[in-house]
Amino acid sequence: GGDNDSGRGGATTIATATAAAAAIDEKPPLPWLFRRMSKVGAGGVGAARAAALQWTANVATQLGTDGFTRAPAIAAALLLPAVLCADVAVKGVAEEHRVLAAETLEIMRSVLPGEAFARAYAAVQRRVAGRREARRRAKALEAVTDPERAARAKIVKAGKRTAARKRKVQEYRTGKGSSMSSKKRAREV
């Protein structure tokens, strides 16, 4: 009786391995880990963002071309933080993180097979553009549905612009208090 059980167990193991391989193609393994590292890389600051970008580059290097061929869904998940940090439209990203993100993108480009990088990069760009468009639509809808709140937000934004302008003028004026004339300062600069 033991010989028959082991034969069926082998068939079950092969079926399980095939199912696992198919699941890897559909979504990244450990999706929570990829989501978390993506959030830290895209929205983190300082050492956390740098570490997430370095982790992304290291994972890409370790996977290599074979790893991305077996599990192409990983590419888009790994590209997201680097694409967001490298994008100049995204505010609040330090220059050293932009450089690190560009290096990470170069590593990904060199490791990903053929047009897989282009497909993954386009998927990430579509995702980012879709989110930005959704935020724009929500803001426009809020202006229609709650005009008082939208007006308050505009006033707050205008106040911030005015304060920034006043700071800039004040910084300029602090130079005028020195002993030399403005013409002498202009010649020295």
Side-chain angles (χ1 to χ4, degrees):
D3 291 352
N4 289 344
D5 290 340
S6 66
R8 276 181 274 166
T12 306
T13 306
I14 293 170
T16 306
T18 306
I24 288 175
D25 289 338
E26 294 172 11
K27 61 182 180 177
L30 303 171
W32 62 269
L33 178 64
F34 281 83
R35 268 197 311 272
R36 183 68 188 139
M37 293 306 283
S38 185
K39 284 184 181 197
V40 171
V45 291
R49 177 178 274 165
L53 289 169
Q54 289 169 345
W55 178 84
T56 300
N58 288 335
V59 168
T61 304
Q62 291 298 315
L63 282 173
T65 305
D66 295 336
F68 283 113
T69 303
R70 281 190 316 247
I74 295 174
L78 283 176
L79 273 174
L80 181 64
V83 168
L84 285 174
C85 288
D87 189 359
V88 293
V90 177
K91 297 176 183 169
V93 179
E95 191 57 36
E96 66 261 11
H97 294 144
R98 288 198 197 281
V99 171
L100 188 58
E103 290 172 3
T104 302
L105 286 174
E106 284 304 314
I107 290 170
M108 294 281 291
R109 185 176 288 123
S110 68
V111 171
L112 274 163
E115 67 178 53
F117 179 83
R119 277 196 308 270
Y121 191 83
V124 169
Q125 291 290 65
R126 279 193 306 274
R127 181 177 173 188
V128 169
R131 285 181 175 180
R132 287 177 182 163
E133 184 58 34
R135 279 196 298 269
R136 274 190 219 107
R137 276 195 307 263
K139 191 174 179 182
L141 185 63
E142 183 187 42
V144 172
T145 57
D146 194 356
E148 291 177 8
R149 184 173 178 182
R152 283 194 305 270
K154 275 187 172 181
I155 290 169
V156 168
K157 191 172 182 179
K160 288 180 180 178
R161 269 197 311 265
T162 304
R165 204 175 302 121
K166 285 181 180 180
R167 272 194 311 274
K168 187 175 178 181
V169 168
Q170 189 61 36
E171 288 170 5
Y172 176 73
R173 285 185 178 165
T174 55
K176 285 193 169 192
S178 64
S179 61
M180 67 175 91
S181 70
S182 60
K183 287 183 181 177
K184 282 183 182 177
R185 275 197 311 281
R187 271 186 257 140
E188 287 183 5
V189 174

